[in-house]
Amino acid sequence: MNGVLGYGMTVPSLEVADGFFRSFGLTPQEGPRTLGFGCEGAEQEQVTLVEARHKKVAHISFGVDEGRLVEFGTRLEAHGVKLHDAPKPLEGPGLWFRDPDGLWVNLREGRPDPGVPMPESDMNVGSSRPRIDRAAWQHVPSRTRPHRLGHVLLYVSDLAAAERFYGEVLGFRLSDRTGRILSFWHARPGDHHVFGFVQSTHPGLHHSSWEVPSLDALMIGKQHMDEQGHPGWGLGRHGLGSNLFTYVPDPWGSWIEYFIDIDQISDAWEPRDLECPAAMWAPRMPQSFVVNTESTEGMEL
Ligand SMILES: [Fe+2]
């Protein structure tokens, strides 16, 4: 398992979605019946939008190593998971099946798009003084363009069932967990989490999270979204994962995050189950941050 390639949502208006994701800094990649977005220069479509009555998470797509799809297919069928064709109008290669909450899951060969190379950090903080004779204010970006899709967090109706499915069947590895409320998962050494679950009454998208090149980019993105009428939550530093964040509410009640400085973990990482605040410091969390607004009706795909 190589991590998250992208995800899909149904939305009541592709026009509204188009404006929102453009403002967030993603690049449109239009398909015939869907609207796609990705990071500038990304080869993969990282968000796929389909017009439907309700906003609802529609699918999630993971990458596996070349030549391993047959093995995953066999493993899924051994666990009683039925394989399907891609649900219309989604399309794409690989295996398609549903998770315990009915969400479409797609496994395809590939790795998450690494994004265009980012500059080395040149912040004069701590004992590091890399920026000499270079005025930082003259290099602040005017707009924020996320560099890579970092992680996706889902609301699930049964955390234990989701953990069994994505851990035991698909091979994600637990990073950390907070009781029976929240768990974070990784696929390989790298980001502390690329995927995670929040216990809820029903499935939904909690947030997707996008890495940006610098603290300036993080705050320029927040400022731009504030000015566009989407004030959110942040700046703050998370507990589990430790990333610096700013969150923007999307027009349908989920969230989308700019992040930098997430913990990196290796094969030696030992998962823990511990109480940890959502943020070590931040403005007060909006109550809506933990409200699952997605429809409880069945999936429309
Ligand atoms: Fe996040």
Side-chain angles (χ1 to χ4, degrees):
M1 179 61 62
N2 293 333
V4 179
L5 303 185
Y7 67 99
M9 296 194 300
T10 56
V11 291
S13 163
L14 286 183
E15 197 181 332
V16 170
D18 187 49
F20 179 78
F21 285 101
R22 282 177 197 261
S23 290
F24 186 75
L26 298 179
T27 302
Q29 305 162 319
E30 289 179 39
R33 289 182 58 201
T34 62
L35 176 63
F37 278 91
C39 296
E40 203 166 37
E43 290 181 10
Q44 291 155 1
E45 184 174 289
Q46 293 161 313
V47 186
T48 304
L49 300 148
V50 178
E51 202 158 80
R53 260 185 317 150
H54 302 288
K55 178 266 179 172
K56 202 163 181 61
V57 60
H59 87 282
I60 188 156
S61 186
F62 302 113
V64 301
D65 284 339
E66 212 168 298
R68 290 199 61 199
L69 279 177
V70 172
E71 176 194 328
F72 273 100
T74 306
R75 199 194 301 179
L76 285 159
E77 287 183 322
H79 281 83
V81 179
K82 195 164 173 248
L83 301 176
H84 300 262
D85 292 331
K88 300 285 178 212
L90 299 179
E91 49 191 38
L95 307 178
W96 288 85
F97 49 93
R98 290 179 183 272
D99 81 356
D101 267 330
L103 176 70
W104 283 106
V105 180
N106 171 224
L107 295 189
R108 63 179 72 177
E109 291 181 346
R111 291 198 167 207
D113 202 308
V116 291
M118 291 193 291
E120 292 287 316
S121 170
D122 64 351
M123 288 186 81
N124 292 333
V125 296
S127 59
S128 177
R129 294 289 184 273
R131 197 180 64 251
I132 310 290
D133 294 338
R134 185 171 182 273
W137 67 269
Q138 290 184 305
H139 300 277
V140 170
S142 57
R143 278 292 311 276
T144 292
R145 303 278 174 210
H147 150 84
R148 132 185 114 85
L149 172 60
H151 57 267
V152 173
L153 229 71
L154 298 177
Y155 285 119
V156 292
S157 66
D158 182 339
L159 187 70
E163 290 184 341
R164 275 196 303 277
F165 184 77
Y166 287 97
E168 292 170 22
V169 182
L170 294 187
F172 276 97
R173 296 188 251 174
L174 182 66
S175 305
D176 284 313
R177 144 192 310 128
T178 296
R180 305 313 304 169
I181 301 168
L182 177 70
S183 64
F184 288 119
W185 298 74
H186 63 284
R188 52 177 52 247
D191 289 359
H192 173 270
H193 52 277
V194 297
F195 190 45
F197 311 112
V198 186
Q199 177 68 58
S200 179
T201 51
H202 60 285
L205 173 69
H206 184 274
H207 75 271
S208 65
S209 187
W210 302 77
E211 188 177 38
V212 297
S214 64
L215 182 57
D216 289 316
L218 193 84
M219 295 307 291
I220 291 287
K222 170 184 166 43
Q223 183 173 294
H224 178 72
M225 295 308 280
D226 284 353
E227 289 166 1
Q228 296 295 307
H230 305 289
W233 184 40
L235 171 70
R237 186 179 288 279
H238 270 307
L240 301 177
S242 309
N243 45 307
L244 292 172
F245 64 84
T246 59
Y247 282 92
V248 181
D250 74 18
W252 317 278
S254 293
W255 297 80
I256 189 165
E257 177 184 21
Y258 297 114
F259 80 91
I260 59 171
D261 196 28
I262 195 167
D263 289 338
Q264 299 293 292
I265 60 175
S266 71
D267 287 329
W269 181 262
E270 294 286 342
R272 300 161 299 178
D273 191 334
L274 70 177
E275 290 298 319
C276 180
M280 307 315 293
W281 52 262
R284 186 184 294 273
M285 179 197 288
Q287 282 203 334
S288 54
F289 191 71
V290 287
V291 176
N292 182 359
T293 59
E294 290 201 10
S295 164
T296 53
E297 288 185 21
M299 301 283 171
E300 292 185 89
L301 291 182

